[in-house]
Amino acid sequence: MQWLQLTFVNRYHKFRKVHGKLFQGRYKSLIVEESNYLGSLLHYVHLNPVRAGMVTAESLRDYRWSSFSYLHHPSKRPDFMDCSGCLSAAGSLTDSPAGRKRYREYLSGLSADSNARKEQLFNQMCKGWAVGSKDFKKGLLSEETKRRQVLAEEGGDLGANQERYDGKELREANELKWELFLERGLNALGKDTAAILEDKKSEGWKVLLAAALKKHTSATNVWITEQLNMGIPQAVSQHVGTFFSSGEGLKKDYQDLIINLTT
C-alpha cells in the first residue's frame, strides 16, 4: 500500500502539475472477527456513500463504486466476489431478487436509525487496531507473541511485520497483554478470581505474580493492585521491592513461574 500510494501521488502531481498531500492519512487496515462483527462492517461499508451524502439509501444500488452495486447485478460480479456475508448478517437473506430487495430495505432502515447503527458499533469500525470481542483481540496478541518467539528462536527479524500501536490502540493492546499474562500466571499458580478476593492482600503468590508482571510487562501499579486486590498501588512497589531485595527474587517458585509464562 505504501508503494501504491506513493506511486499514485507522484504520478498525480506530475500529471496535474500540483504539489501537496493527496491522501488524508496513512493506510490503515483492521483485523475483523468474522462471527459477530464482519456483517456489521459490510453494512457500514455499503452505507459509506450514503453517510458522505453522495447518494441516498434508496438509490444506492445505482452507485457503481461499491460492492453493493455488484450485489444487485450478479452478472457483473468478479469470480472472486462472495456477497453471501452481508445477506446472511441481515437476517439470513438469500442471494435472490427477493433477498437482495430485502437487504436494500434493511440498509435503508439502518441508515435512518442511529440507535441501530450504535448497536452494530458503527462508531468503532474505523478505530483501534482490530474489530471484535476482547477474547478475539487477546487471541491475536497471543498469536503475535508466539510468532515473535519463533522468530527469536530462528534468529529472524523481530521488527518484520510487527504490529505497531499508538495512542488508544497502544493502551488497549497493552492492557490485553497484561490480562493474558495475568490469566496464564493464575493458571500456572492454580489460583482463580475467588482466591484473589479471599486471600490476603500481601499473600505470597500475589507478590510472586506482581513481581512477574512488573519485571516482564509494562503493567502499572494501579492496574496490578486492582487485578490482584493488593490494597493501594504503593503496596505493590513495596512488596515487589522487598521480594527482589531479599535475595529470593530468583528462587525456584519465581523461576518456574517465569518459565511457564514465557514459553
Side-chain angles (χ1 to χ4, degrees):
M1 289 303 301
Q2 182 183 30
W3 174 88
L4 176 61
Q5 287 189 340
L6 182 61
T7 302
F8 183 86
V9 169
N10 286 338
R11 292 181 181 177
Y12 183 91
H13 286 167
K14 184 177 180 179
F15 181 78
R16 296 288 185 178
K17 294 181 172 56
V18 296
H19 300 281
K21 290 184 178 180
L22 189 59
F23 295 105
Q24 183 176 11
R26 67 185 180 91
Y27 171 76
K28 180 178 182 180
S29 62
L30 305 180
I31 304 174
V32 184
E33 183 175 6
E34 183 173 358
S35 58
N36 298 318
Y37 294 84
L38 182 57
S40 295
L41 178 62
L42 293 173
H43 306 331
Y44 175 88
V45 170
H46 284 154
L47 286 174
N48 266 336
V50 177
R51 284 194 304 278
M54 301 173 72
V55 294
T56 64
E58 290 70 25
S59 61
L60 187 58
R61 63 181 297 177
D62 297 320
Y63 181 74
R64 61 175 296 194
W65 308 109
S66 168
S67 58
F68 189 85
S69 175
Y70 289 105
L71 173 69
H72 283 276
H73 300 90
S75 62
K76 297 182 179 180
R77 294 179 196 170
D79 293 337
F80 62 80
M81 181 171 286
D82 179 4
C83 295
S84 62
C86 60
L87 294 168
S88 176
S92 300
L93 302 178
T94 59
D95 192 0
S96 64
R100 294 190 286 270
K101 179 176 182 293
R102 289 186 61 187
Y103 182 58
R104 186 169 69 252
E105 294 170 346
Y106 173 83
L107 284 186
S108 180
L110 190 58
S111 69
D113 190 339
S114 59
N115 288 330
R117 295 196 301 274
K118 186 176 181 180
E119 288 178 1
Q120 296 206 28
L121 305 178
F122 269 32
N123 61 331
Q124 298 181 26
M125 288 301 172
C126 292
K127 299 179 180 179
W129 53 281
V131 178
S133 64
K134 178 182 286 190
D135 287 341
F136 173 72
K137 293 178 181 179
K138 284 183 179 179
L140 294 176
L141 291 173
S142 181
E143 290 175 5
E144 179 187 343
T145 299
K146 292 177 181 178
R147 180 183 64 81
R148 288 176 60 79
Q149 288 175 345
V150 171
L151 280 174
E153 292 172 358
E154 296 177 349
D157 180 9
L158 294 179
N161 299 319
Q162 180 183 354
E163 296 292 346
R164 293 176 173 83
Y165 315 110
D166 51 34
K168 291 182 179 179
E169 299 176 9
L170 178 61
R171 289 195 294 273
E172 181 188 31
N174 277 338
E175 289 201 8
L176 290 174
K177 289 179 180 179
W178 303 343
E179 286 185 21
L180 280 169
F181 195 94
L182 176 61
E183 289 169 3
R184 293 184 64 188
L186 289 171
N187 183 63
L189 295 172
K191 302 296 180 180
D192 55 19
T193 304
I196 291 176
L197 297 175
E198 295 170 1
D199 290 357
K200 294 189 304 180
K201 293 178 172 57
S202 59
E203 195 73 37
W205 70 266
K206 289 187 178 183
V207 175
L208 190 69
L209 188 47
L213 281 161
K214 292 284 288 182
K215 192 74 172 178
H216 293 271
T217 75
S218 59
T220 65
N221 284 352
V222 172
W223 188 87
I224 295 173
T225 300
E226 293 174 350
Q227 300 301 314
L228 290 177
N229 189 31
M230 294 184 71
I232 59 176
Q234 292 86 341
V236 173
S237 293
Q238 180 180 350
H239 293 314
V240 171
T242 301
F243 176 81
F244 283 117
S245 63
S246 66
E248 298 179 354
L250 297 178
K251 63 184 180 181
K252 187 175 185 306
D253 288 346
Y254 180 80
Q255 290 177 320
D256 291 343
L257 176 61
I258 297 304
I259 290 174
N260 281 326
L261 292 174
T262 56
T263 58

